[in-house]
Amino acid sequence: MNHKLIYLSVFLLLSQLSFAQDKAKYKVWNPSNDTINVLEGQGWTKNLKDYYDRLPSKAEGIVRPEVWKLSKNNAGVNLRFRTNSNEIIVKYAVKGNLQLSHMPATGVSGVDLYAKDRDGRWLWSAGAFSFGDTITYRFNNLEQVNNPDREYTLYLPLYNAVKWLEIYVPNEKSFTPVPLHQEKPIVVYGTSIAQGACATRPGLAWTSILQRKLDQPVINLGFSGNGRLEKEVVDLLTEIDAKLYVLDCLPNLISISKEDLTSRIEASVLQLQAKRPGVPILLTEHDGYTDELISPKRKTDYDNPNITLNEAFKQLKTKGIKNIYLLSKNEIGHDIESTVDGVHPNDIGMMNYANAYEKIIKKILNQPEGNISTTKPTTQYRELPGYDWEKRHNQVLNHNKTNPPKLIFIGNSITHFWSGEPLAHVARGTESWNKYFKDRNPLNMGFGWDRIENVLWRVYHGELDGFSAKQIVLMIGTNNLQFNTDDEIAEGLTVLITAIKVRQPGAKILVLGLLPRREMEARVAKLNLLYAKIALNLKVQYADAGSLLLNTKKKVNEALFTDGLHPNAQGYEKLGAFINKQITNN
């Protein structure tokens, strides 16, 4: 009797039964079959040969075959979804070898799952995995604390091409794909270092770390051994409407002449600026690490391209080329512990890269960040029936494109629930809104549950870009009262007002003191003294409507509020008349 054949038959039968049970118990989502675009990290969403490709199909006849082959790898590509499930199963197949000699299968062919909590903080989930013709990752015991749905980001393999992919959650659990971010991405053109060699997981490639640090779409166009500043590739880059271009190709250009390298650097910068004028370009030095006492020859190979890059950079600046920046080897800061082979970063080295890029990109994009929570821009997804924070952010971006506003109200649910576009599910002061503001082309940028740091994120992510307002009314901070000291709130407000002024230099800014809040009236009054001082120092207008909403005992006038915090129609009428007077006389 052939026992091996019997065992194999039993195994196949059990596998089929298990799969049938999976089908019965789980609902399955295949991103490639969805009607919405869900793949982040792609520069092109149409005209692709394969669904997970990084370059459009036309590139096959334009770029070198080596570049085209590498573009089939899914480095930097990720997808987002929301679910309340405590179990997520990912099954998929890949086309190439599962691992490399210097890079594990988890980085070459694995996936990586990250989540956000309700306050926008990143979490990592460890999965149990098995590699074979079908690769399976199982993420269990994913507790949902104080949040009906959690947002997840799944990073795809760095050095392999996905054939197909399915995500399973139990039938009784929710599952919602999240559409693409609408913001302009950061586009990285580079070498194997940018592609992700030699990270142990896809989420630890420096471009992925940077994406999380900036909370910003990043497109990874790293091509292992083939990032060579080639005109054909740069031409493709210009098709992407980017917020910033990063050119990190020197590690693949150490063997060409100084003249050729100078020519490629200058041509690439001019090529990008001709098609995308005004978009910043960041050039990066080669940060290969070696001890000159052990290998002086290798050190020369690393240093000479950097000398050429610096000379080319100075020449471009001398010629009047603007919006170009340089990231130095010293700023990246590799040492003997941070690379696999003196060139390719290990996980420590990937973090070095990400930290260096984060610092300089925040400077380029004018996105300063402090050390306390009110000065750290972050998203949020707090419980509020009928309300999706990111969806409202996208509505604001779309509104600004189609109907650039002249009067902007920025705030939390107090502003959100007043009235005006984008429409909220609650509008308690429509009559007063229309009476005082409708004819001024207003925009309601109030978001429920927002704190100062959430508004700072929205300002940093495009809600005040691309148009010129006449007047901005800011009322924010009441949701920070339970989490921050008055000094922390004041510091956050300073950073926020500064960010608003940078993006809307022609707008008049009215900072409103916090409205009275039940059982916090005295603290609010004291905090508003700080608000007034900040407004004076930053040379913006300040006004306090609080006295209009208090009773004779300096407590909240309950007749003007729904809950001791949010005004009712009568309260909004008093607030509207007060604001109208301030901005009319301004």
Side-chain angles (χ1 to χ4, degrees):
M1 181 179 292
N2 190 335
H3 294 287
K4 290 185 178 179
L5 182 58
I6 293 174
Y7 292 151
L8 178 61
S9 299
V10 172
F11 173 78
L12 290 174
L13 178 61
L14 290 175
S15 298
Q16 290 169 356
L17 289 173
S18 175
F19 185 76
Q21 289 173 350
D22 277 355
K23 285 289 187 181
K25 290 175 55 181
Y26 296 87
K27 51 188 171 188
V28 185
W29 179 62
N30 185 324
S32 65
N33 294 334
D34 209 304
T35 57
I36 62 172
N37 290 327
V38 295
L39 285 188
E40 298 279 356
Q42 284 183 313
W44 297 264
T45 58
K46 298 179 180 178
N47 302 315
L48 298 169
K49 190 169 184 178
D50 292 308
Y51 180 72
Y52 296 99
D53 285 355
R54 291 188 292 153
L55 290 180
S57 57
K58 68 178 182 180
E60 185 174 10
I62 297 174
V63 302
R64 287 183 298 108
E66 294 84 355
V67 175
W68 172 250
K69 183 179 179 180
L70 288 161
S71 77
K72 310 294 284 184
N73 296 162
N74 306 138
V77 180
N78 60 89
L79 53 90
R80 295 186 300 147
F81 55 88
R82 291 194 183 112
T83 181
N84 63 354
S85 179
N86 61 354
E87 178 186 17
I88 299 171
I89 302 172
V90 183
K91 296 182 179 181
Y92 61 102
V94 295
K95 298 180 180 180
N97 294 329
L98 293 179
Q99 64 186 40
L100 301 173
S101 60
H102 62 314
M103 188 173 174
T106 50
V108 173
S109 306
V111 295
D112 213 357
L113 188 66
Y114 283 75
K116 274 187 175 181
D117 69 9
R118 65 199 305 266
D119 294 319
R121 291 171 296 200
W122 286 101
L123 312 169
W124 176 70
S125 178
F129 51 81
S130 61
F131 286 87
D133 291 339
T134 295
I135 302 172
T136 302
Y137 272 70
R138 295 179 181 271
F139 303 93
N140 296 313
N141 302 315
L142 305 171
E143 294 186 15
Q144 305 292 316
V145 180
N146 296 324
N147 201 5
D149 289 297
R150 178 177 285 160
E151 178 186 318
Y152 290 90
T153 295
L154 183 72
Y155 294 96
L156 301 188
L158 295 170
Y159 267 77
N160 224 322
V162 171
K163 290 181 183 178
W164 58 266
L165 181 145
E166 294 176 338
I167 298 177
Y168 297 71
V169 298
N171 275 337
E172 67 275 13
K173 299 298 183 178
S174 67
F175 186 93
T176 306
V178 178
L180 297 180
H181 283 104
Q182 296 189 19
E183 298 174 60
K184 295 180 180 181
I186 293 169
V187 178
V188 178
Y189 174 29
T191 67
S192 54
I193 298 170
Q195 183 168 341
C198 294
T200 56
R201 300 188 271 108
L204 292 180
W206 72 256
T207 57
S208 300
I209 300 172
L210 181 68
Q211 175 241 312
R212 294 193 299 277
K213 283 177 169 290
L214 298 178
D215 218 349
Q216 174 81 42
V218 176
I219 294 174
N220 184 328
L221 293 177
F223 303 112
S224 186
N226 288 274
R228 301 180 184 176
L229 294 180
E230 294 170 299
K231 180 182 183 301
E232 296 79 9
V233 179
V234 177
D235 271 338
L236 290 168
L237 262 61
T238 65
E239 296 180 4
I240 305 172
D241 187 10
K243 179 175 286 189
L244 169 73
Y245 293 104
V246 175
L247 302 180
D248 190 354
C249 292
L250 257 58
N252 288 161
L253 295 170
I254 63 174
S255 61
I256 67 174
S257 68
K258 177 178 179 179
E259 292 74 22
D260 189 6
L261 179 54
T262 300
S263 176
R264 293 190 190 206
I265 293 168
E266 291 188 353
S268 298
V269 169
L270 296 176
Q271 200 174 342
L272 288 171
Q273 289 207 337
K275 294 288 184 67
R276 298 291 179 181
V279 178
I281 300 170
L282 175 58
L283 303 163
T284 306
E285 288 188 2
H286 185 354
D287 193 23
Y289 181 86
T290 188
D291 191 323
E292 61 186 75
L293 297 178
I294 293 177
S295 183
K297 172 62 170 62
R298 289 188 71 183
K299 185 177 187 301
T300 299
D301 288 342
Y302 301 150
D303 286 349
N304 284 343
N306 290 342
I307 293 170
T308 302
L309 174 62
N310 277 268
E311 290 175 353
F313 181 78
K314 291 177 182 177
Q315 290 174 13
L316 288 165
K317 298 285 281 186
T318 300
K319 292 177 182 178
I321 303 300
K322 299 179 180 179
N323 295 317
I324 57 173
Y325 302 86
L326 186 67
L327 179 62
S328 72
K329 171 186 174 77
N330 289 337
E331 289 172 295
I332 298 169
H334 279 328
D335 58 27
I336 61 173
E337 313 295 352
S338 58
T339 72
V340 173
D341 52 11
V343 176
H344 297 97
N346 56 25
D347 292 342
I348 297 172
M350 286 294 181
M351 188 61 72
N352 289 344
Y353 266 101
N355 288 338
Y357 272 110
E358 177 193 18
K359 184 176 180 179
I360 193 170
I361 289 174
K362 284 182 175 178
K363 185 176 180 180
I364 293 170
L365 300 180
N366 209 331
Q367 296 181 356
E369 180 177 314
N371 296 319
I372 59 175
S373 63
T374 56
T375 63
K376 293 178 176 292
T378 185
T379 60
Q380 57 106 332
Y381 190 67
R382 303 182 183 109
E383 299 162 274
L384 193 63
Y387 173 63
D388 185 324
W389 192 88
E390 184 175 330
K391 181 179 179 180
R392 184 165 176 83
H393 169 63
N394 290 333
Q395 289 173 339
V396 169
L397 296 179
N398 289 330
H399 184 279
N400 292 347
K401 292 176 183 177
T402 58
N403 184 23
K406 293 300 179 183
L407 171 61
I408 300 173
F409 286 80
I410 301 176
N412 46 48
S413 56
I414 296 172
T415 301
H416 187 189
F417 294 164
W418 198 335
S419 190
E421 297 287 343
L423 291 174
H425 64 288
V426 174
R428 298 191 177 115
T430 301
E431 184 175 344
S432 58
W433 180 276
N434 291 340
K435 176 180 177 181
Y436 295 113
F437 311 125
K438 185 177 181 180
D439 294 337
R440 301 175 189 252
N441 190 11
L443 170 69
N444 186 327
M445 275 176 53
F447 282 49
W449 290 93
D450 258 14
R451 301 171 192 160
I452 290 172
E453 56 267 31
N454 305 130
V455 178
L456 185 61
W457 187 97
R458 296 196 279 116
V459 170
Y460 282 172
H461 288 256
E463 291 191 10
L464 293 179
D465 294 345
F467 64 95
S468 297
K470 291 183 177 179
Q471 178 77 57
I472 296 173
V473 179
L474 174 66
M475 182 170 58
I476 192 67
T478 193
N479 290 327
N480 291 92
L481 290 172
Q482 294 175 309
F483 304 95
N484 300 102
T485 67
D486 289 1
D487 287 341
E488 290 172 340
I489 293 171
E491 188 170 343
L493 183 68
T494 300
V495 174
L496 176 58
I497 295 172
T498 302
I500 293 172
K501 291 180 69 175
V502 167
R503 287 154 180 80
Q504 289 289 335
K508 296 178 180 179
I509 299 173
L510 170 62
V511 176
L512 289 177
L514 299 186
L515 298 188
R517 183 168 183 155
R518 184 189 296 153
E519 297 182 0
M520 288 189 177
E521 293 91 343
R523 183 183 174 189
V524 167
K526 181 181 176 183
L527 179 58
N528 282 344
L529 296 178
L530 281 176
Y531 273 44
K533 184 177 179 180
I534 292 167
L536 180 64
N537 291 339
L538 295 178
K539 299 180 180 179
V540 297
Q541 184 185 2
Y542 172 79
D544 184 0
S547 61
L548 301 175
L549 305 172
L550 295 171
N551 60 27
T552 55
K553 296 181 179 179
K554 295 187 178 181
K555 297 293 184 180
V556 163
N557 185 344
E558 300 288 351
L560 303 176
F561 290 85
T562 62
D563 55 4
L565 172 63
H566 298 90
N568 57 22
Q570 188 179 353
Y572 278 123
E573 166 61 34
K574 287 184 174 292
L575 187 59
F578 178 83
I579 293 173
N580 179 61
K581 184 177 180 180
Q582 300 297 319
I583 62 179
T584 299
N585 295 335
N586 187 0

